[in-house]
């Protein structure tokens, strides 16, 4: 499981960009051609239809690379792959009031040519057209601080990083139609243009242009079906069926949220791995999950996964009441199957299923292993009722929740505990010592076990001895077990063995050296005394 | 049995070493005391390897101390089945390696086997008061409990292959007997070893096993292929076999050992090389 930092208050979105560089070669002089940057970057972009594309950005004869590093968008998975990089998902779209942070890496083979260069960034349609850049169609991002001083004269290559904060509004709202513009299924085709001009070149008229196409995917996958829940010992086992569909209707992964019956998070759960996107409610600064979208009334279309479907878009409240908890557990029809969990306490609050607050995360990323998926949530208290929500998540972090599912863990009896409860007593491997002292867990037997594990088994000679011991000792152990006098005698014989084993096993090397020194001194004391007298 | 084994070991220790034999040349040097008459093309043969499978059900419910309780049957059968019956068998996979030190009117050798067995089921929920539930009123939980057994054995193996090698009768009866040690461990719903207080759910039981069996010599199906296999791979003979698996593994009656005995059958493939 990937360990990730706690959920952020908002989601900075980083984007690995694909560039298309359009060279204005006709106006470049030979010196300028030499100084022209070859902007090469290979990145991946996903369009709003869910398809992917790879573009390469090149320009000029000068070797340089301008890249946009895909920023971590707050999800634990790395969405920056060739098939689904991008993108802005539902939560990121909704977090329009937050800036999107990009990191641009500028690398030049001839850095001196980069010194005092100019860089401009425009957002909008067709910003490579100078007219669009001046008539307001495209919005220029201002306040950029480009540090080209790191390019050192005379070096062959170096890189500098440019951090750019881009207001999300222009990205999602190209026509400045208002802040609430994350329409379900809306396909936004926005271009993000970077214009660069080396020293002496008019950036307005003769820029090097790289552009990326931003895509977004606001459609959630289909929810899970066929949910079953069963109690375990301090745990609950959830199983469900993966929804069938096409393309992005099929979840990429799953994650489980859980709460107690009163809607409180369960302490001790690892909430650092989040597979879905969230954003903050700007009014309350709390984690918010908008299940519906505010939009103008009328009809529109949902286009996702290559399928276009007409929908009736209506103004909705962003916070619909949560659905009622549904009794989804089933009684076993086969004795070896799953059973009714026997919920004990009533559910009083299920708001976490509405907000998808990451504080309620209680599983890692669950990848689909087939049509039927099972997950066990442990670390719970027996006889206490909990509620669970299964999130189906697509590759872009869009998540859809199941209805809250109640379950109550119960203590269980496995084969060994039932065997012991029924009167059985088998445990462990030791023979002679166990027979003499009556129990495998006897503290003196434990000394010999530790001696076996830590001293004998690590060496080949020790292992041979152990093998021989296990082969030859059982009949003797059985005899000892049956005769009292044999047990007493064996215990007496084992005391010194246990003492030596304890000294060897439980002392550190320097302690062993000290003991050996003392032992040698004791054994040679008479000789020392004689030498002293002499 | 022990004295016979000791004699056999002494005899094998005094046997001369196997002189190197080149394929195609009849060995005329060295001692032939432990050797059958060798065919011209046959390479030396000292070992056998077997891969075998069988159905196995440990007799856990016969363990000492249970006093008629049947925890194994309760969990691994449908509690609603009437009449109550022993759990069905599950696959036991074993490999065996033999050292055949004597080839005279058959082959005599010592062998070692290693096996693996696993079965699982849903645990029961405890009844009220943390007491064991009574079938058929138990409730299955979502937790899975697994039983793992790893049988080990040291065997004396005698194969009467005289008819097969001399008269090409492709049937080889054999008999194996030896000491066994079955290691077992049980896991709970979290996948870790089960615990009962301070004691862990693992251990081992000694016992003895016997395997009378019959092997079918596959060389007769395609003798040229058999010769080629010998020449290129050194595999002298290949067999299909079926054998009885009699395992009396209960710690020699110790009160604190689990009974893993069973009487079943194995079948498999054997190679002599």
């Amino acid at each position: 499981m990937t360990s990730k930092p706690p959920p952020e208050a908002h989601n900075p979105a980083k984007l690995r960009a694909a560039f298309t560089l359009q060279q204005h070669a006709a106006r470049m002089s030979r010196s300028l051609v030499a100084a022209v940057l070859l902007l090469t970057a290979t990145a991946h972009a996903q369009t709003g239809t869910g398809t992917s594309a790879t573009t390469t950005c090149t320009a000029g004869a000068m070797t340089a690379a301008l890249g946009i590093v895909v920023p971590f968008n707050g999800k634990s998975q790395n969405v920056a792959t060739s098939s689904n990089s991008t993108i802005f998902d539902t939560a990121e779209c909704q977090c329009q009031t937050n800036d999107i942070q990009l990191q641009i890496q500028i690398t030049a083979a001839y850095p001196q040519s980069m010194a005092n260069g100019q860089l401009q960034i425009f957002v909008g349609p067709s910003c490579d057209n100078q007219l669009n850049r001046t008539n307001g169609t495209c919005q220029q991002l201002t306040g950029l601080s480009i540090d080209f001083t790191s390019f050192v004269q005379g070096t062959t290559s170096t890189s500098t990083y440019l951090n750019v904060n881009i207001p999300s509004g222009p990205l999602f709202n190209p026509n400045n139609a208002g802040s609430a513009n994350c329409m379900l299924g809306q396909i936004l085709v926005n271009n993000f243009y970077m214009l660069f001009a080396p020293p002496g070149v008019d950036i307005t008229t003769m820029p090097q242009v790289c552009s990326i196409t931003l895509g977004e995917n606001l459609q959630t996958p289909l929810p899970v079906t066929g949910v079953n829940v069963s109690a375990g010992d301090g745990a609950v086992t959830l199983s469900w069926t993966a929804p069938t569909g096409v393309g992005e209707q099929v979840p990429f992964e799953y994650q489980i949220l859980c709460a107690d019956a009163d809607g409180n998070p369960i302490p001790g759960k690892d909430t650092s791995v989040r597979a879905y996107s969230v954003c903050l409610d700007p009014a309350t600064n709390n984690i918010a999950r908008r299940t519906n979208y505010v939009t103008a009334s009328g009809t529109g279309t949902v286009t996702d996964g290559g399928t276009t479907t007409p929908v009736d878009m209506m103004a909705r409240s962003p916070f619909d009441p949560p659905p009622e908890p549904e009794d989804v557990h089933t009684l076993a029809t086969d004795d070896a199957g799953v059973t009714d969990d026997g919920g004990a306490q009533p559910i009083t609050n299920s708001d976490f299923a509405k907000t998808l607050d990451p504080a309620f995360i209680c599983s890692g990323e669950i990848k689909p292993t087939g049509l039927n998926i099972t997950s066990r949530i442990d670390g719970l208290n027996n006889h206490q009722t909990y509620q669970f929500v299964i999130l189906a998540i697509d590759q872009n972090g869009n998540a859809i929740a199941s209805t809250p599912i109640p379950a109550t863990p119960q203590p269980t009896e496995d084969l060994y505990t039932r065997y012991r409860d029924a009167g059985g007593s088998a445990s462990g491997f030791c023979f002679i010592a166990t027979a003499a002292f009556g129990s495998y867990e006897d503290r003196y037997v434990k000394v010999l076990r530790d001696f076996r594990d830590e001293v004998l088994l690590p060496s080949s000679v020790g292992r041979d001895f152990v093998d021989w011991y296990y082969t030859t000792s059982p009949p003797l152990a059985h005899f000892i077990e049956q005769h009292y006098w044999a047990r007493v005698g064996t215990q007496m014989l084992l005391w010194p063995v246990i003492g030596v084993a304890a000294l060897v096993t439980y002392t550190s090397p320097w302690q062993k050296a000290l003991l050996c020194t003392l032992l040698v001194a004791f054994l040679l004391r008479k000789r020392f005394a004689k030498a002293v007298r002499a | 049995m022990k004295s016979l084994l000791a004699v056999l070991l002494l005899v094998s220790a005094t046997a001369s070493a196997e002189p190197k034999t080149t394929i195609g040349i009849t060995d005329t040097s060295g001692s032939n005391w432990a050797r059958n008459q060798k065919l011209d093309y046959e390479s030396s043969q000292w070992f056998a390897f077997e891969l075998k499978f069988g159905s196995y059900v440990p007799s856990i419910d016969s363990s000492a101390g249970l006093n008629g309780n049947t925890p194994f049957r309760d969990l691994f059968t449908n509690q609603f089945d009437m009449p109550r019956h022993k759990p069905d068998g599950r696959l036991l996979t074993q490999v065996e390696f033999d050292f055949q030190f004597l080839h005279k009117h058959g082959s005599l050798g010592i062998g070692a086997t290693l096996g693996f067995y696993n079965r699982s089921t849903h645990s029961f929920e405890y009844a009220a008061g943390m007491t064991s539930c009574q079938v058929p009123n138990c409730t299955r939980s979502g937790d899975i409990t697994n039983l793992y057994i790893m049988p080990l054995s040291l065997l004396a193996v005698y194969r009467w292959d005289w008819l097969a090698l001399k008269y090409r009768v492709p049937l080889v009866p054999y008999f194996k007997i030896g000491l066994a040690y079955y290691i077992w461990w049980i896991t709970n719903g979290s996948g870790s070893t089960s615990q009962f207080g301070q004691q862990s759910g693992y251990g081992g039981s000694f016992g003895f096993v016997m395997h009378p069996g019959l092997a079918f010599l596959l060389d007769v199906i395609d003798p040229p292929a058999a010769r080629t296999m010998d020449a290129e791979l050194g595999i002298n003979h290949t067999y299909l076999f079926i054998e009885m698996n009699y395992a009396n593994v209960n710690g020699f009656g110790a009160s604190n050992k689990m009974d893993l005995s069973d009487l079943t059958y194995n079948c498999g493939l054997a190679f002599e090389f």
Side-chain angles (χ1 to χ4, degrees), chain A residues 72-153:
Chain A
F72 176 63
N73 63 0
K75 298 196 290 287
S76 60
Q77 67 179 50
N78 178 12
V79 295
T81 66
S82 60
S83 62
N84 70 338
S85 70
T86 304
I87 297 216
F88 303 103
D89 54 26
T90 305
E92 291 159 345
C93 182
Q94 290 168 343
C95 294
Q96 292 183 20
T97 56
N98 302 314
D99 291 346
I100 298 172
Q101 296 179 358
L102 304 179
Q103 186 178 70
I104 304 170
Q105 180 185 18
I106 303 173
T107 305
Y110 298 92
Q112 57 272 27
S113 67
M114 298 287 292
N116 300 318
Q118 303 172 72
L119 179 67
Q120 294 179 350
I121 299 178
F122 287 84
V123 178
S126 301
C127 300
D128 53 333
N129 185 317
Q130 182 183 358
L131 181 62
N132 287 338
R133 297 200 298 273
T134 56
N135 66 7
T137 300
C138 292
Q139 180 177 345
Q140 182 178 3
L141 304 183
T142 58
L144 300 177
S145 174
I146 306 170
D147 181 12
F148 287 127
T149 60
S150 62
F151 290 98
V152 178
Q153 285 275 353

Side-chain angles (χ1 to χ4, degrees), chain B residues 22-248:
Chain B
T22 305
I23 295 174
I25 300 176
T26 303
D27 172 32
T28 58
S29 62
S31 169
N32 289 325
W33 179 80
R35 302 293 310 282
N36 285 321
Q37 182 73 26
K38 292 193 63 61
L39 300 175
D40 283 347
Y41 61 84
E42 194 173 87
S43 62
S44 60
Q45 178 198 321
W46 286 102
F47 307 103
F49 174 81
E50 292 183 7
L51 176 63
K52 50 189 174 182
F53 307 94
S55 175
Y56 170 66
V57 183
S59 301
I60 294 176
D61 291 338
S62 301
S63 300
L66 292 181
N67 298 322
N69 292 313
T70 56
F72 183 63
R73 184 187 71 183
D74 293 345
L75 277 167
F76 285 92
T77 61
N78 190 322
Q79 62 177 319
F80 303 114
D81 285 349
M82 290 298 291
R84 306 289 295 143
H85 57 84
K86 198 177 177 184
D88 297 334
R90 290 289 185 271
L91 179 67
L92 170 64
T93 303
Q94 297 181 86
V95 294
E96 178 178 324
F97 184 82
D98 298 343
F99 170 58
Q100 300 170 341
F101 54 85
L102 179 65
H103 292 274
K104 210 71 172 175
H105 302 295
S107 67
L108 185 64
I110 55 174
T113 67
L114 171 67
F116 183 77
Y117 174 85
N118 166 239
R119 68 188 303 159
S120 60
T121 188
H122 285 270
S123 305
F124 285 142
E125 292 183 5
Y126 270 105
M130 287 294 289
T131 57
S132 291
C133 62
Q134 300 299 315
V135 299
N137 299 313
C138 292
T139 301
R140 294 279 181 179
S141 74
D143 286 351
I144 302 288
T145 179
N146 273 283
L147 168 66
Y148 298 92
I149 298 176
M150 186 179 293
L152 308 169
S153 63
L154 189 65
L155 306 167
V157 182
Y158 175 74
R159 289 188 172 86
W160 192 54
D161 55 3
W162 179 74
L163 273 180
L165 298 181
K166 190 170 179 65
Y167 298 107
R168 311 311 287 176
V169 176
L171 293 175
V172 176
Y174 63 85
F175 183 78
K176 306 173 185 174
I177 187 169
L179 185 68
Y181 188 64
Y182 283 25
I183 299 172
W184 59 269
W185 66 99
I186 298 169
T187 61
N188 55 23
S190 66
S192 54
T193 305
S194 178
Q195 294 288 328
F196 185 83
Q198 297 297 316
Q199 295 190 308
S200 301
Y202 63 84
S205 299
F206 267 101
F208 71 93
V209 292
M210 285 194 301
H211 307 300
L214 183 67
F216 177 77
L217 179 64
L218 295 176
D219 297 4
V220 300
I221 295 177
D222 191 350
R227 282 195 291 273
T228 303
M229 191 179 288
D230 190 358
E232 296 186 0
L233 301 176
I235 296 175
N236 302 85
H237 307 293
T238 309
Y239 299 90
L240 275 177
F241 65 88
I242 183 168
E243 64 183 26
M244 185 174 74
N245 181 7
Y246 173 76
N248 188 329

Side-chain angles (χ1 to χ4, degrees), chain A residues 393-470:
Chain A
I393 306 165
D394 66 14
Q395 285 185 308
N396 306 303
N398 297 310
I400 186 167
S402 69
T403 56
I405 307 155
T408 305
Q410 304 287 340
T412 61
E413 193 178 32
D414 57 46
L415 174 61
Y416 185 64
T417 52
R418 191 170 180 86
Y419 161 81
R420 294 301 300 264
D421 286 335
S425 58
S427 179
F429 302 106
C430 288
F431 300 108
I432 293 179
T434 302
F437 291 100
S439 169
Y440 181 78
E441 297 297 332
D442 183 276
R443 59 185 183 275
Y444 302 114
V445 177
K446 185 179 183 305
V447 171
L448 296 176
R449 290 208 320 270
D450 291 343
F451 177 76
R452 175 200 65 191
D453 294 340
E454 298 180 26
V455 178
L456 295 180
L457 290 181
S459 71
S460 61
V461 173
R463 286 192 292 273
D464 291 342
F465 172 77
V466 171
D467 292 341
W468 170 83
Y469 170 77
Y470 283 138

